């Protein structure tokens, strides 16, 4: 999806070791979406980071990430 906390063709995931927040590369929406899991069983939307905020022109994952 394109709404807040929704993903469209997610291609990568990372976990921040200092707080456990989960970052997902939301490929078709050109953004990274951050989630937290305060109770360890469900995820809550924190924020989205857009390419404009990162100043990265039209990022696309490499072929290695696409499987």
């Amino acid at each position: 999806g394109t709404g807040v906390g929704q993903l469209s063709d997610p291609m990568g995931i990372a976990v921040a070791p200092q707080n456990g927040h989960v970052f997902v590369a939301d490929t078709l929406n050109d953004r990274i979406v951050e989630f937290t899991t305060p109770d360890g069983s469900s995820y809550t939307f924190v924020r989205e980071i857009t390419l404009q905020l990162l100043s990265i022109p039209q990022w696309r994952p490499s072929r290695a990430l696409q499987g």
Side-chain angles (χ1 to χ4, degrees):
T2 59
V4 172
Q6 295 180 341
L7 304 170
S8 186
D9 200 21
M11 285 283 188
I13 189 167
V15 178
Q18 64 272 41
N19 60 14
H21 285 206
V22 176
F23 296 84
V24 180
D26 186 12
T27 307
L28 292 182
N29 290 318
D30 294 323
R31 63 187 179 187
I32 297 169
V33 182
E34 180 180 356
F35 297 95
T36 185
T37 179
D39 62 6
S41 65
S42 62
Y43 290 89
T44 303
F45 172 81
V46 175
R47 66 182 171 146
E48 65 181 44
I49 304 164
T50 63
L51 294 181
Q52 292 80 14
L53 289 176
L54 295 174
S55 299
I56 300 173
Q58 277 308 94
W59 175 83
R60 289 284 183 235
S62 70
R63 286 203 166 276
L65 291 177
Q66 293 178 0

